[in-house]
Amino acid sequence: MENILSAAQMRDTDAHTCATFKLSSLQLMEQASQSFVKAFSREYPERYLKIAVYCGTGNNGGDGLAIARLLYQEGYSHLNVKIARFSDRSSADFDANLIDIESTPIPVAELVHADELDKEEAELIIDALIGSGLNKPLEGEFRMLVEKINVLNKVVVAVDIPTGFKSEGAMKLSDTVLVADLVISFQRAKVNFFLPESAGFIKEIKVVDIGLNEHYIQSLTTPYYLITQKDIASRLKKRANFTHKGTYGHALIIAGAPETMGAALLSAEACMCTGAGLTTACVPEEGLTALNTRVPEVMAILNKNVNGDLKWNTYQAVGIGPGIGSSPESLALLTKTLKEYNKPVVIDADALNLIAQNNDLMQIIPEGSVLTPHVKEFDRLFGKHESWWDRVVTGIDRAVTLGCTILLKNQYTMIFTRDGKCLFNPTGSPAMASGGMGDVLTGMITSFISQGYSIEDAVILGVYIHGAAGEEGNDYVVPASSLIKRLPATIAANYTT
C-alpha cells in the first residue's frame, strides 16, 4: 500500500531527498516543475494557448516561475506571469527562479493588492499562489484574489494543490478555494483529495513522480494508505488442482423480506460469484421461488426457522442486513445472530439501522466483525458529523474501540481497521451510483471471509474488486445485477495482472 503523507511529512521528505541524493532544494524544485510541465503538455498540447501563471512568493510560487520558464522552452509562447506580492517575504528558491525568468521574454507583473486584477486575457490559469503549507482558511488579499479569479470562468490548473485547499483537516464547502479543473499533485495525493468536500473544488487529479525518495516515504508512520493493484494481486489465492467446493467455505447470507427480496438475491448471487464454495441464503418463505429461479446454485433456509437449532458452525462466514427490514422479527433475527454466531459477522444496511436504534446491540457485535455503512448509516451509528474529516477521525477511533473493521462507502471507500489505519480504495465509477451496490459488496466480503481470507484482506479485496468491476466497459450506468456477472473475470484479471 502507498503511504499517504501529511503536508509536514512531505516537507520532511523533500529535505531527506535532497540530503540523500545530494540535491539542492532549487534542483528538486526544477525536477518537480519538469514533471508538472510533462503532465500539463499531455493534457493541453496546444502551444497557442494563452496562459497566465499566478505565483505567490513562497516555494509554490517558485514552482510556478520555473513552470512558466519551462513551458516557454516547450513552445508555449503566449505566457504571462502575475506575482501576488502581498508581503515583503519571499523564499530563496522563489527569488532564484524570479531572476531566471527575468532573462526570458515572458512578461512578469506584480499585484500589490488584489483589486488591481480587473480582467484576465488568458484562456488558462496556472495556480501557483499558495501550496500545501496552508493550515487555516484564506484571508485578506489572497482571499480577495481567489474570489476574483473564481468568477473569471477560466480553465484552472493547480500546482500540487489548489490555493486555499488544505492537505488535511476539516474543510467546508463554504471555504474560499481557487477552484481547479485539474490538479497536478507532486508524488502523492493529499488526504483531503479523497474526501467528498474536494468535489466542490477539484474536477480532476493527476499525481506525478518528482523524484522523491520512495523508500523513505514508505518508511514513515501514517494512519493513511492508498490501496494499489499490487495489494490485490499479492492477496488473491490461486485455486489449486484437486480443490473442491468444500475447500472454499460455506457462507450464509441473512437477507430479504417479502417486499425486498431483490437485496437478498443480489447479495447471495454476489457471494456465489465471488467464489464461496457453498452459499446459503436465509430468506422469508415468500422469497423461495425468486431465489430458486434467479440463483438455483444457492441453497436456502427460512428465516422463520432460525430460532430453532440452526447449526451456526456449518458456516465459515455470515453476512446479515440487506433488505431484512426493521420489524420485531428482524430485530430478533439480528440479535440471535450476534449472540450465537461466535465468529465475525458482516453487518450491512437494515442490520446497521437496527443497531443504531437499539444501541445495546453494539455491545454484542462479535469482535472482528465488519460494518459496512454508507454516510447516513454511519451518522446514525456514531452521531452527526459536520465534515468528512470528522468521520475519518470517528471511523478510526470506533474501529479500534469496537475491535471491528468499518468501511465507509463513498467514491473513495474508506476502510477503518482494528489497528487504527484508514485505507482509501481508488477503484469505482459514478456509473455504480445505483441501487443494490451495497448488497453486492456485502455478499462479496462474506464470500472472501468464507474462503479463509483474513478479515482485513477480505474487505480490501471486496472493496477493490467491487470498484474495478464497476469501472469496466466505461458504461454510463452499471446495474448491480450486471456488475455481479463481471466478478469472476475481474477477479481473474486482478490475480494475473
Side-chain angles (χ1 to χ4, degrees):
M1 269 176 267
E2 288 187 354
N3 286 10
I4 303 173
L5 304 185
S6 68
Q9 287 177 314
M10 287 302 294
R11 289 193 294 273
D12 177 52
T13 301
D14 287 351
H16 185 274
T17 298
C18 288
T20 302
F21 299 134
K22 296 180 170 54
L23 296 171
S24 68
S25 59
L26 190 61
Q27 288 172 316
L28 182 59
M29 183 175 286
E30 189 75 4
Q31 285 183 189
S33 299
Q34 289 170 348
S35 296
F36 179 97
V37 168
K38 185 176 180 180
F40 179 90
S41 61
R42 284 196 297 265
E43 295 295 314
Y44 303 98
E46 303 86 0
R47 264 49 177 181
Y48 55 79
L49 276 176
K50 294 178 180 178
I51 300 171
V53 184
Y54 281 70
C55 301
T57 55
N59 282 345
N60 193 241
D63 291 329
L65 294 175
I67 287 164
R69 170 172 45 81
L70 293 168
L71 285 173
Y72 181 79
Q73 293 172 5
E74 288 291 318
Y76 292 86
S77 55
H78 300 289
L79 287 161
N80 76 84
V81 170
K82 291 183 175 68
I83 297 172
R85 185 77 72 171
F86 296 154
S87 76
D88 295 331
R89 297 189 303 273
S90 61
S91 72
D93 290 345
F94 170 86
D95 293 337
N97 272 300
L98 182 58
I99 292 171
D100 286 345
I101 205 166
E102 286 175 343
S103 65
T104 73
I106 301 171
V108 178
E110 293 196 356
L111 302 173
V112 179
H113 299 289
D115 58 13
E116 294 174 16
L117 179 69
D118 56 354
K119 62 180 180 178
E120 176 56 71
E121 301 295 339
E123 303 160 89
L124 184 148
I125 290 173
I126 293 177
D127 168 23
L129 288 167
I130 298 178
S132 59
L134 184 75
N135 57 13
K136 61 180 181 179
L138 279 182
E139 55 188 22
E141 296 287 349
F142 275 109
R143 176 172 181 165
M144 292 171 59
L145 181 60
V146 166
E147 288 172 345
K148 278 178 165 285
I149 296 173
N150 276 339
V151 299
L152 291 175
N153 196 30
K154 305 291 184 179
V155 174
V156 174
V157 180
V159 179
D160 193 36
I161 191 170
T163 295
F165 193 93
K166 292 193 291 187
S167 294
E168 60 268 345
M171 291 193 67
K172 299 177 181 177
L173 291 177
S174 59
D175 289 348
T176 300
V177 175
L178 185 42
V179 178
D181 294 274
L182 172 65
V183 178
I184 299 176
S185 188
F186 295 157
Q187 203 75 28
R188 284 290 190 275
K190 320 307 178 194
V191 178
N192 272 344
F193 288 175
F194 298 104
L195 303 185
E197 286 94 346
S198 68
F201 308 116
I202 300 170
K203 290 183 181 178
E204 185 179 5
I205 300 162
K206 292 190 178 298
V207 178
V208 295
D209 189 329
I210 65 169
L212 297 182
N213 188 329
E214 273 293 330
H215 179 75
Y216 183 70
I217 289 174
Q218 290 300 107
S219 74
L220 294 175
T221 300
T222 174
Y224 310 113
Y225 299 84
L226 180 65
I227 301 168
T228 69
Q229 197 281 327
K230 289 182 180 178
D231 298 314
I232 306 308
S234 66
R235 284 168 168 77
L236 282 171
K237 302 172 185 177
K238 184 176 181 179
R239 294 201 159 199
N241 292 334
F242 298 105
T243 54
H244 50 83
K245 62 186 178 184
T247 307
Y248 300 107
H250 192 167
L252 174 65
I253 301 293
I254 303 173
E259 65 277 14
T260 52
M261 267 303 295
L265 298 177
L266 291 169
S267 193
E269 186 176 10
C271 183
M272 177 189 71
C273 289
T274 303
L278 294 168
T279 300
T280 292
C282 176
V283 296
E285 187 171 5
E286 297 90 333
L288 282 178
T289 300
L291 180 69
N292 289 331
T293 302
R294 170 80 187 201
V295 273
E297 302 92 339
V298 172
M299 297 177 288
I301 56 174
L302 300 182
N303 54 21
K304 68 180 182 181
N305 294 334
V306 171
N307 286 326
D309 296 325
L310 181 65
K311 296 180 179 178
W312 291 101
N313 60 2
T314 300
Y315 308 104
Q316 283 69 55
V318 172
I320 185 169
I324 63 172
S326 57
S327 67
E329 292 77 16
S330 298
L331 177 60
L333 182 59
L334 173 61
T335 303
K336 184 176 181 66
T337 302
L338 297 180
K339 284 183 175 179
E340 298 198 8
Y341 189 66
N342 59 4
K343 299 175 186 177
V345 179
V346 182
I347 306 171
D348 184 32
D350 290 330
L352 294 173
N353 292 328
L354 286 168
I355 292 171
Q357 295 162 12
N358 302 271
N359 197 252
D360 55 318
L361 293 179
M362 192 79 77
Q363 312 308 315
I364 62 170
I365 295 174
E367 186 174 357
S369 292
V370 181
L371 282 62
T372 65
H374 56 56
V375 61
K376 290 183 179 179
E377 293 163 345
F378 186 93
D379 282 7
R380 290 186 198 118
L381 285 168
F382 304 123
K384 184 175 175 57
H385 294 78
E386 296 300 320
S387 72
W388 279 84
W389 181 266
D390 292 340
R391 292 186 182 97
V392 170
V393 173
T394 295
I396 292 173
D397 174 75
R398 299 305 291 157
V400 173
T401 303
L402 292 171
C404 294
T405 300
I406 302 171
L407 64 93
L408 177 50
K409 292 179 280 196
N410 194 42
Q411 170 77 34
Y412 298 100
T413 289
M414 291 159 255
I415 301 170
F416 304 111
T417 67
R418 289 175 285 170
D419 58 353
K421 295 181 292 190
C422 172
L423 317 180
F424 290 98
N425 177 63
T427 61
S429 163
M432 298 170 68
S434 61
M437 285 297 173
D439 305 325
V440 171
L441 182 58
T442 295
M444 293 176 66
I445 294 171
T446 306
S447 179
F448 280 123
I449 296 172
S450 78
Q451 295 171 60
Y453 289 93
S454 71
I455 298 297
E456 184 171 308
D457 284 356
V459 175
I460 290 170
L461 291 171
V463 170
Y464 188 97
I465 291 169
H466 181 255
E471 290 176 348
E472 293 173 6
N474 197 28
D475 297 318
Y476 179 76
V477 64
V478 182
S481 56
S482 298
L483 185 141
I484 291 171
K485 304 301 183 186
R486 299 176 178 178
L487 291 176
T490 302
I491 295 169
N494 276 278
Y495 174 77
T496 57
T497 299

